[in-house]
Amino acid sequence: MTTGVLPDAPETVAGRRLFAINDIEFTVAEVAPHARPGGRELAVFPGDAAAVQEAFRRTRGLLTADQLESWLTGWAITADEFVAWTEAPTTTSWTGYVCSGGLDRDTAELASAAAAACALGSAPTDATSFDPSGWVARLMARDVTPEAVDAALARHRLEWTCVRGAGVFARSRAVAEELRHWVLVDGLDLAIAATQAGCPTYVVDGVLADLSPTTLRARVAGARAGELLGPVEAGPGWTLLRLDERAEPDPQDATIRARAQRSVATEVVERAVLRHVSA
């Protein structure tokens, strides 16, 4: 089986089912021709071969040698091919396409397109001849309406609360507690306290949903502007955050509205996939 970007994929996996729409099965033979190189969605495992192997196995949940061997055999990949890929990760081979996540990505994209076609009343009649172009965009054009965006803004009002503030990372809780004392008791500015303690600072300027770690996000969700929050564990280390400002999302703000539109678009496609695609 030859594709535009890959060398011949193993015939032993060409008929492996990846998903189905109604009674129509989409196999590796239908998905692989849509392969495209690169893409930020692909897993990137830094480090030497041993580190890449460890990260790959952890990501895939292949914790034992038997699990890894079974997984590789299922995709017609030899142990030597896997090791060679971990030494020079690439998506230009069958091994790279599967191990990097390229096959997963292209399967998801084709399934989304097929589900969108179903939602629009044009279910695929044949897996091989199905053209995925444009179906998701047409579904979004129909269902990502101003009313749906407004509803999303209402549902996510807390998550998309705009927050601004200044924070500091400390190597231990004791240091963070000392910084808090300097600010609240001694009246020292947080940035000056951080400099004196040799601790790095950071700025928060975004929405609550993007704030990490989740423990800090939870504290900010219930805080008022002007509060000094923490110490909060931010492994490794601890953090303090001075919340300078918080404001509910403005429905007319272009950035917030774009986030709401993306959220609605994602939900529209996910609903279509749940309704029409089977594993």
Side-chain angles (χ1 to χ4, degrees):
M1 178 173 58
T2 303
T3 74
V5 240
L6 294 172
D8 292 345
E11 291 293 340
T12 53
V13 296
R16 180 168 175 171
R17 168 176 163 154
L18 297 175
F19 67 92
I21 294 283
N22 299 326
D23 295 324
I24 301 172
E25 291 192 345
F26 285 75
T27 67
V28 171
E30 281 79 46
V31 173
H34 298 281
R36 53 187 172 86
R40 60 185 175 83
E41 302 89 349
L42 301 185
V44 177
F45 303 110
D48 58 18
V52 172
Q53 290 179 32
E54 177 65 22
F56 170 84
R57 292 173 66 169
R58 195 165 55 245
T59 300
R60 295 276 181 175
L62 305 172
L63 304 181
T64 69
D66 287 345
Q67 288 174 323
L68 176 61
E69 182 180 357
S70 176
W71 189 90
L72 293 174
T73 300
W75 290 111
I77 298 170
T78 68
D80 288 342
E81 288 169 336
F82 174 68
V83 171
W85 173 75
T86 64
E87 292 172 344
T90 176
T91 59
T92 57
S93 66
W94 172 250
T95 300
Y97 185 45
V98 175
C99 292
S100 69
L103 178 61
D104 295 336
R105 174 202 61 198
D106 294 335
T107 298
E109 289 183 354
L110 190 61
S112 295
C118 288
L120 292 167
S122 299
T125 56
D126 177 75
T128 303
S129 61
F130 174 65
D131 181 0
S133 304
W135 288 110
V136 170
R138 286 194 284 275
L139 181 62
M140 290 180 181
R142 188 192 73 176
D143 290 356
V144 184
T145 63
E147 294 77 15
V149 171
D150 288 338
L153 283 164
R155 286 196 308 274
H156 297 284
R157 188 173 66 251
L158 176 60
E159 299 166 65
W160 297 344
T161 294
C162 300
V163 292
R164 295 182 176 84
V168 55
F169 286 114
R171 57 190 174 274
S172 68
R173 184 182 185 109
V175 172
E177 292 282 10
E178 186 68 15
L179 286 168
R180 181 178 177 84
H181 181 87
W182 287 354
V183 172
L184 295 182
V185 178
D186 299 339
L188 207 59
D189 180 78
L190 182 63
I192 295 174
T195 299
Q196 291 187 4
C199 296
T201 59
Y202 61 93
V203 173
V204 169
D205 187 0
V207 299
L208 182 62
D210 294 339
L211 193 60
S212 63
T214 54
T215 47
L216 179 60
R217 189 186 312 155
R219 293 286 295 274
V220 173
R224 297 185 302 273
E227 285 191 57
L228 180 65
L229 307 174
V232 174
E233 191 169 6
W238 295 76
T239 187
L240 294 173
L241 174 67
R242 186 189 66 227
L243 182 60
D244 294 327
E245 181 183 345
R246 64 176 296 159
E248 290 194 356
D250 179 1
Q252 303 309 315
D253 180 87
T255 301
I256 292 295
R257 202 156 188 86
R259 179 183 283 264
Q261 289 169 340
R262 291 193 299 272
S263 176
V264 173
T266 298
E267 291 170 1
V268 163
V269 175
E270 287 177 347
R271 282 198 303 269
V273 169
L274 287 172
R275 187 174 300 134
H276 300 288
V277 176
S278 58

